[in-house]
Amino acid sequence: MTTLFRRKAVAVAFAALALTLAGGGIAVAQPAAQTPAEVAQPARQPGSGSQPAVTPAEAAKAKAALAQGPSALATTPGTVASAAVTSGGILLRGSPEVVSATRYGPGQYQVLFNYNVSLKAIHATIGTIDPFNVPPGGEISVAPRLQTPNAVFVQTRNSSGGPSDRPFHLVVAN
């Protein structure tokens, strides 16, 4: 009986070794994958992909919204603030803490809140509120808005990585 188990153990060990070597041999034998220039991540250029400058009018609007302040429940840990924004930058719906949405250019948006969101967890996804429509494909990224602690900067791109207007949903977790 022990001879049978030893033979099986040896066979399993050799099979595992053979699969490991075969898999490694395939990976070594294949040439390194070359990504096409249009798909490769471009090197960050100064000023590219950066946020638009905050105008004095926008700064005043942000200060006024911050002075308005949220309700006591709005910033309680465990609550969320949310917004649904069209590809044109129109705020379709949102929680009471959302003041406005602004479109700056292709794929660049700002969502303004009435409280400081700079240290909150921020999540965005491409999406519509139309129940019969699948949102367009693409990519989305979020960041705190420069020089505006009560705003979030959202950037949307098409599937190839180029700036493109996309509708999105935004959630800020308190």
Side-chain angles (χ1 to χ4, degrees):
M1 188 68 149
T2 58
T3 307
L4 178 65
F5 284 125
R6 274 193 215 151
R7 287 181 185 165
K8 284 185 178 180
V10 170
V12 168
F14 277 124
L17 180 62
L19 286 173
T20 303
L21 292 176
I26 291 170
V28 171
Q30 292 180 349
Q34 299 294 322
T35 57
E38 63 272 3
V39 177
Q41 188 83 9
R44 179 156 169 78
Q45 300 294 324
S48 71
S50 61
Q51 299 181 20
V54 178
T55 65
E58 289 173 337
K61 183 178 178 181
K63 283 183 183 179
L66 202 52
Q68 172 189 341
S71 67
L73 285 176
T75 57
T76 304
T79 60
V80 296
S82 62
V85 180
T86 68
S87 59
I90 298 169
L91 180 64
L92 290 177
R93 66 178 176 207
S95 56
E97 300 79 35
V98 180
V99 175
S100 66
T102 306
R103 179 183 174 272
Y104 289 110
Q108 294 186 332
Y109 306 90
Q110 170 185 290
V111 179
L112 187 65
F113 295 85
N114 62 5
Y115 68 102
N116 187 334
V117 296
S118 60
L119 297 177
K120 307 295 183 187
I122 305 166
H123 176 76
T125 185
I126 295 174
T128 67
I129 63 166
D130 181 3
F132 305 108
N133 192 4
V134 175
E139 303 167 6
I140 190 167
S141 55
V142 295
R145 180 74 165 110
L146 295 177
Q147 303 172 343
T148 312
N150 57 324
V152 173
F153 181 74
V154 179
Q155 191 164 29
T156 59
R157 298 181 176 276
N158 59 26
S159 296
S160 299
S164 183
D165 293 334
R166 298 283 191 256
F168 61 91
H169 295 223
L170 177 71
V171 174
V172 176
N174 297 309

